Structures are given as C-alpha cells and as structure tokens.
Amino acid sequence: MPASRTGRPPVQRAPRRPPRPRPPRDNAVVRLYGRARRAWDRPLTAYYLILGGSLLITVLGLVMVYSASQITALQLSLPGSYFFRKQFLAAVLGGLLLLAASRMPSKLHRALAYPMLLGSVFLMILVQVPGIGVAVNGNQNWISVGGPFQLQPSEFGKLALVLWGADLLARKQDKRLLTQWKHMLVPLVPVAFMLLGLIMLGGDMGTAIILTAILFGLLWLAGAPTRLFGGVLAVAATLGVILIKTSPNRMARLACLGATEPGPGDSCWQAVHGIYALANGGLFGSGLGASVEKWGQLPEAHTDFIFAITGEELGLAGTLSVLALFAALGYAGIRVAGRTEDPFVRYAAGGVTTWITAQAVINIGAVLGLLPIAGVPLPLFSYGGSALLPTMFAIGLLIAFAREDPAARTALAMRQPRFGRKRAAVRGSAGREPRKWNTMRRRAAARSSGER
C-alpha cells in the first residue's frame, strides 16, 4: 500500500452502502382492488348481496311495470295504475313471505316440504277441472281466486320441488344412499316427471323447462355420475323434441330465432318488435315512460317482454344494471351453497339459484332473439303475483341460509345497533345506570386532593 505525503498511513474509508430501494408508490387502483377484494371475502357479503340485489330488482321491476303497463291498462278501459297496484300488493305480500322465510330455521323449511308438494299437486289437478281452471293465451294453468285475481299453481310447484327434493336428497345423504343410482333417481325423478306432466297438460312449455332445470341442478349437486346425468338429460331432450314437433305454435316460435322481419302472417311480430325496442334505446335510453313499442306494438310488454321496454327506456346502461344484479344474486347463491356443511342447505340453495338463474337466462335470451320465446316472466321483475310470491319466499330461504353460516352468524352477533347504544348512554346520564369515570385525569385529581 503506498504511503501518503504526510507519512501517515492512508485512512481506509468504509465501503459505501448501496442505496436502499424506495418502496414503490401505492397505486390508487391497486388500493381500490385490495379493498374490494377484502370486502368481497367478508362473511356477510353473500347476505348483503342477496338482500340488496333482490330488493333492487323488485323495486326497479315495480317502476318498469308501472311504465310498461299504463297503455295496456288504458286500452282495456282500466286505470293507468291498475297493473302496478296489483303488482305492488303482491310485492308487499311477498315481502312478508321473504321476512318469514328468512327467520325460519332449516327444520321448519324441511317440515314445509311435503305439505307444499301435496298442495301444489292438488292445485295443478284442479287446474284441469272444467269450470275451475282458466285458460290464458292458450295455456290452461290458472285458477280464478276471485275478482281480478288469478293463481298459477305451477309457480308454487317450482318452490315445492326445490324444498322437497333438497329434503329427500339430504336424508338419503345422511344414510349414505346416494352412492346407488336407484336411490338417487327414485323417487326424485318420477315425482318431477309427474309435475312436468301436470304442467304440460295445460300447455306451459316454459315452466316445464324451468322445472327440468331445477331437477338437473339437484342431480348435479347430489353428484350424479355423468352417464346417469346424461341418460336423464337424453330422456328429457327427447320428450322436449316430441312436444315441440307436435305443436305448430312451438314450431313457429322456434322458427323466429334471429328473425329481423315479422314474417308471413306476422308470426314473428313479438320477437322482432322486442329487438326494435332494444335498438331504440341506445346507450342511455329514450327516458323513463317514453317507450314507443309499448303503445300496442309489443305484446306482453309488462310481463314476458318487460326487459325490452327496460332497454328502450333505460338503454344499455339499464339492461346491464339488471344483468349485473342477477349475476350478483346468482354468485351469492352459489357461494351460500358452496360454503355450507348442511346438505339440505346446499341442495336448497343450489336449487333456488338454478331456478332464478335459468329463468332469467331463458327470459332475457328470448328478448334478445337468442332463444325461443318460452313465455316465462323475468324473476322479481316482470308483472305477475303468482310468480313473485314463491320467488320472494325462495329469496327468503337464501337469506336464512346465508345467516346460518358460522362466520356470518358470528359477524351478526358482534354487531350492535347504534340506537341501542344511544339508549344505554341516555340511561346512564339519567342516573339509572351510573357511569364509572375511571380515567387517568380523575385518578390524578383524587390523589392531589388527598382522597383515598
């Protein structure tokens, strides 16, 4: 080592430390994504999605029923709010059913399965009795309750099949019988086919498709083998083809897929004008109440084709909002079914989710021209009290199941309403429940004054 000029050894400097890398700045999008993911994984997410999503769909449906049914009511020499008032009454009754179902324990839900099934079968038989059953649009699936009110028992048959099928499969799973194909099929499939036969006697192909979807959903959740599942699907598809081929009306509906013109004899009038309504809406719609197609051009504007009027008045933004609400509801139902340990809850939640999702897909697909017109209402949205009441009871089932989750139950138990805490504070200030002032300032004051 060379010596320095002063004769002293050179000073050895410490090696420089490499500069510390600066932590990357947190992006606002990343923070927002993290918060959304944490909120999505909370125990009460499914509970709030089911409750909030169903209420938003119902309220928006009431608004659209009022807007889409005014012209139809006036054409029938009825008050403009006639259909809205009936739907609002059904929504109030359905809200009471939703509240009751959400507070019932699973044992009570299972106890209602057999009475509801027997009652639905009895009412479906009454529909075919001359003088009792009422035909609407060529389908005899209604019973006159009195005055302007009618009841469609097949809508309650969907709920009955979900509850009864879930209870049946849960009891067989407890006894470890679902590993045998005969126990998986009998008596679930025969009873479902009996309900399908009673529905098809009235000519309601759309409701039969929904009931078939519920049956397949229950078999899928029960873990049916692929060959067994495929066999039942082949039988159902064969029967469906036969029923479509033997009905000129159903063949005409099938021929209207993708139609852009009404065709000879205006056979595709409804399908084409549904597309016209969506096209007129554009991105943000023509405005609430400003639909043109509801002025007698589009049949069933407030029932089966209310989604088309929604697209015309609220535009693409409105229809995407409705789709997002149904997607959130479907996700929440799948989440409830997937996180539970109770087999009845899993089958019932899966059956309800299959029912609502399949019916929404069939209705919206028919409006968009992607599926044949099946004549099924949009759940919680379209006009029809007979469809709204059992659907809201089914939503109450999902809410009850979401509350029964152990993590959700703990989160609900830890919540304390602010109103109750305020009342406790008022009672303490009134002298009924004296507060304990154990603060550091209080103790210091006590020591300085000589208190012991």
Side-chain angles (χ1 to χ4, degrees), residues 172-361:
K172 289 194 173 187
Q173 180 173 338
D174 292 338
K175 297 178 181 180
R176 299 181 180 179
L177 297 176
L178 292 181
T179 55
Q180 306 176 23
W181 67 269
K182 59 180 180 180
H183 286 287
M184 185 173 293
L185 294 181
V186 181
L188 177 62
V189 175
V191 170
F193 279 10
M194 178 189 66
L195 294 176
L196 290 172
L198 292 174
I199 292 173
M200 289 306 302
L201 284 177
D204 192 356
M205 185 74 175
T207 305
I209 294 175
I210 304 302
L211 213 68
T212 305
I214 295 173
L215 173 62
F216 287 139
L218 291 175
L219 289 176
W220 182 271
L221 291 170
T226 305
R227 288 182 294 179
L228 182 63
F229 194 84
V232 177
L233 182 61
V235 172
T238 303
L239 293 176
V241 170
I242 294 174
L243 292 173
I244 293 174
K245 287 286 187 180
T246 55
S247 175
N249 184 27
R250 298 188 187 110
M251 287 297 297
R253 292 185 178 185
L254 188 63
C256 292
L257 282 176
T260 56
E261 297 292 336
D266 294 336
S267 58
C268 300
W269 180 273
Q270 188 179 26
V272 170
H273 278 270
I275 299 297
Y276 289 169
L278 293 172
N280 290 337
L283 291 178
F284 301 102
S286 58
L288 192 62
S291 170
V292 176
E293 291 293 333
K294 69 182 180 183
W295 286 79
Q297 299 295 326
L298 180 62
E300 307 296 336
H302 60 295
T303 55
D304 301 343
F305 271 70
I306 194 171
F307 188 76
I309 303 299
T310 304
E312 186 177 6
E313 295 187 351
L314 302 182
L316 181 63
T319 55
L320 290 181
S321 299
V322 175
L323 291 176
L325 289 174
F326 276 109
L329 193 60
Y331 166 79
I334 294 174
R335 177 169 173 168
V336 171
R339 293 194 174 189
T340 183
E341 299 293 336
D342 189 347
F344 171 76
V345 173
R346 181 169 64 253
Y347 295 134
V352 170
T353 305
T354 304
W355 162 16
I356 296 176
T357 305
Q359 188 164 331
V361 169

Side-chain angles (χ1 to χ4, degrees), residues 38-63:
R38 288 191 297 270
W40 198 256
D41 292 335
R42 289 178 180 176
L44 293 177
T45 298
Y47 171 76
Y48 288 128
L49 283 178
I50 296 170
L51 180 61
S54 59
L55 290 181
L56 286 175
I57 294 174
T58 305
V59 171
L60 184 58
L62 287 173
V63 174

Side-chain angles (χ1 to χ4, degrees), residues 58 61-62 65-66 81-93 149 302 378 380-388:
T58 305
L62 287 173
V65 165
Y66 180 68
S81 60
Y82 174 77
F83 293 104
F84 169 76
R85 286 181 292 177
K86 291 182 62 177
Q87 185 74 357
F88 182 76
L89 177 61
V92 172
L93 296 177
F149 297 98
H302 60 295
L378 190 58
L380 301 173
F381 202 84
S382 297
Y383 170 78
S386 295
L388 185 62

